[in-house]
């Protein structure tokens, strides 16, 4: 999910900054350029942590700045298929719940939350079951598995991550705790 990676990229140093091409300056320019961006290979760049090497500057015709290639460390968020993630419900809609997992949100479709039918309660911003009185609302903690991933590098906000919580050990944390307590009580009674 989160990784520390060594990357290489080119950054433009504007003319007014050419007197001090330092690792701190290059780090700031890389942060402005890359943080929050999505890349299919490394995921979402969360933070540039350290600049290791700055190459020789290159001047391009009709460009005011000088271009430097830099080696640097970055922290990235790269959700993997079938990875189990913990997140928080950030929005509930008719067709499911959006779960915040790191710097992105994943969709937990209503059909992937429970075997029970969950109805949308718009007044209380929750999904509710008539069978067991279970609810899923904003700020609830959830454990889910990533089942689909479509990364849009140009518009990271348009990237889509699909989640499921229908497998054993997945779901709202409160539901998982209730199931665990029920299993322990049954095991104690059987002894």
């Amino acid at each position: 999910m989160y990784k520390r990676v060594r990357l290489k990229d080119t950054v433009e140093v504007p003319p007014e900054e050419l007197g001090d091409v330092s690792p701190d300056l290059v780090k700031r320019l890389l942060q402005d350029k890359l943080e929050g961006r999505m890349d299919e290979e490394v995921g979402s760049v969360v933070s540039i942590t350290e600049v290791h090497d700055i190459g020789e500057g290159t001047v391009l015709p009709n460009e005011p700045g000088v271009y430097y290639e830099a080696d640097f460390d970055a922290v990235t968020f790269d959700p993997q298929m079938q990875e189990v993630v913990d997140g928080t419900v950030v929005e509930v809609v008719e067709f499911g719940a959006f779960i915040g997992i790191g710097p992105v949100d994943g969709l937990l479709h209503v059909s992937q939350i429970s075997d029970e039918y969950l109805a949308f309660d718009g007044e209380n911003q929750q999904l509710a079951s008539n069978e067991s009185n279970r609810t899923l609302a904003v700020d609830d903690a959830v454990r889910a598995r990533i089942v689909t991933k479509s990364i849009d590098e140009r518009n990271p906000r348009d990237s889509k991550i699909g989640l499921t919580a229908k497998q054993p050990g997945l779901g709202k944390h409160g539901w998982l705790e209730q199931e665990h307590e029920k299993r322990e009580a049954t095991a104690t009674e059987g002894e």
Side-chain angles (χ1 to χ4, degrees), residues 120-187:
F120 178 63
D121 176 359
E123 186 177 319
N124 296 310
Q125 283 294 293
Q126 66 182 9
L127 294 166
S129 167
N130 291 333
E131 298 172 40
S132 65
N133 292 326
R134 287 182 167 182
T135 62
L136 185 66
V138 173
D139 292 331
D140 284 346
V142 174
R143 179 167 294 144
R145 180 180 304 279
I146 297 173
V147 291
T148 61
K149 177 174 116 170
S150 174
I151 303 301
D152 187 333
E153 293 180 22
R154 291 186 205 181
N155 298 307
R157 301 303 279 150
D158 292 340
S159 296
K160 293 173 177 53
I161 296 175
L163 304 170
T164 185
K166 285 183 86 168
Q167 299 164 339
L170 303 179
K172 180 177 166 180
H173 285 193
W175 301 344
L176 297 173
E177 290 165 10
Q178 289 170 353
E179 289 170 14
H180 179 72
E181 289 168 6
K182 190 189 309 181
R183 277 194 312 273
E184 281 192 348
T186 304

Side-chain angles (χ1 to χ4, degrees), residues 70-164:
D71 285 327
F72 57 95
D73 287 338
V75 174
T76 63
F77 175 81
D78 187 19
Q80 300 296 308
M81 290 293 291
Q82 304 306 320
E83 180 177 5
V84 174
V85 293
D86 285 310
T88 304
V89 177
V90 294
E91 182 181 6
V92 177
V93 292
E94 239 176 278
F95 54 87
F98 288 96
I99 312 297
I101 51 171
V104 296
D105 296 342
L107 172 62
L108 185 56
H109 190 270
V110 69
S111 68
Q112 294 297 311
I113 297 172
S114 169
D115 288 329
E116 299 175 25
Y117 173 74
L118 296 173
F120 178 63
D121 176 359
E123 186 177 319
N124 296 310
Q125 283 294 293
Q126 66 182 9
L127 294 166
S129 167
N130 291 333
E131 298 172 40
S132 65
N133 292 326
R134 287 182 167 182
T135 62
L136 185 66
V138 173
D139 292 331
D140 284 346
V142 174
R143 179 167 294 144
R145 180 180 304 279
I146 297 173
V147 291
T148 61
K149 177 174 116 170
S150 174
I151 303 301
D152 187 333
E153 293 180 22
R154 291 186 205 181
N155 298 307
R157 301 303 279 150
D158 292 340
S159 296
K160 293 173 177 53
I161 296 175
L163 304 170
T164 185

Side-chain angles (χ1 to χ4, degrees), residues 1-64:
M1 190 183 241
Y2 286 97
K3 299 177 187 175
R4 182 177 179 170
V5 295
R6 176 73 62 100
L7 300 173
K8 184 178 285 208
D9 202 347
T10 302
V11 66
E12 178 186 7
V13 176
E16 60 273 10
E17 304 279 358
L18 289 173
D20 179 33
V21 179
S22 66
D24 286 340
L25 171 67
V26 171
K27 179 180 175 181
R28 184 174 50 81
L29 293 170
L30 285 167
Q31 287 170 330
D32 291 345
K33 178 181 178 183
L34 299 176
E35 287 182 2
R37 300 276 163 80
M38 189 71 84
D39 179 274
E40 185 69 44
E41 291 180 28
V42 299
S44 176
V45 178
V46 177
S47 177
I48 306 299
T49 57
E50 185 178 355
V51 174
H52 294 286
D53 186 42
I54 303 169
E56 293 294 316
T58 302
V59 177
L60 298 177
N62 301 319
E63 294 289 332

